Each structure stands twice: as structure tokens, then as C-alpha cells.
Amino acid sequence: RFIPGSRSPSAFRPGPAPASQPVLLERLQAAADAFEKDARDLGARTIEHPFFGNLALVDFIRLQEIHTNHHRGQIPTAQP
């Protein structure tokens, strides 16, 4: 879990005007595809995270899942 009330570094905060949903979905898909390709091509077993250091690939993926769920409430159409 992330610490309640904690703020992300300013470099990771969204800008004042987010892109449209289709643009964001396209960016997300491109990023996911690039990550999968890099992990496959490099045979990556670890990922260097800027805040958490060297993480096993499976732990990095789990962190991304936790982070996505953390922000799920900010995306109304993502609610179950």
C-alpha cells in the first residue's frame, strides 16, 4: 500500500489538462507493449526503479498493479 496522503514527486504529477480518453488509452497500450518487448528482448530479470531500487521483474509488475489500483478511484469509468 501507498502511504495515505503522500504526494508523488512533481515530475510524475499530471498536467493541468489531461489528454482525451482515446489518446490516453493509446499511450497506455504503447507503453505496455514497449515494456513487454523490452522485458522479452533483454531477458530482464530485474528493473531499476528510481525510488525503490533494483526490483525483481515480478515485484515491479506487482508494484504497477498496486499503483494502478491506488489511482483507480480517480478514473470513474474504471470502477467495477
Side-chain angles (χ1 to χ4, degrees):
R1 294 188 176 258
F2 289 93
I3 299 168
S6 63
R7 292 185 52 94
S8 64
S10 60
F12 294 105
R13 294 184 197 145
S20 67
Q21 185 180 26
V23 170
L24 293 174
L25 289 173
E26 185 178 321
R27 288 181 192 167
L28 182 60
Q29 187 63 58
D33 292 345
F35 174 77
E36 288 180 13
K37 181 182 181 313
D38 288 348
R40 230 184 353 263
D41 291 351
L42 299 173
R45 298 199 194 300
T46 61
I47 299 288
E48 184 67 30
H49 190 279
F51 301 108
F52 301 114
N54 207 17
L55 297 173
L57 182 59
V58 68
D59 293 335
F60 178 81
I61 292 169
R62 176 69 175 128
L63 175 62
Q64 297 311 306
E65 177 189 11
I66 292 167
H67 192 202
T68 300
N69 284 331
H70 171 74
H71 285 287
R72 198 170 187 186
Q74 297 169 342
I75 309 169
T77 58
Q79 297 301 313

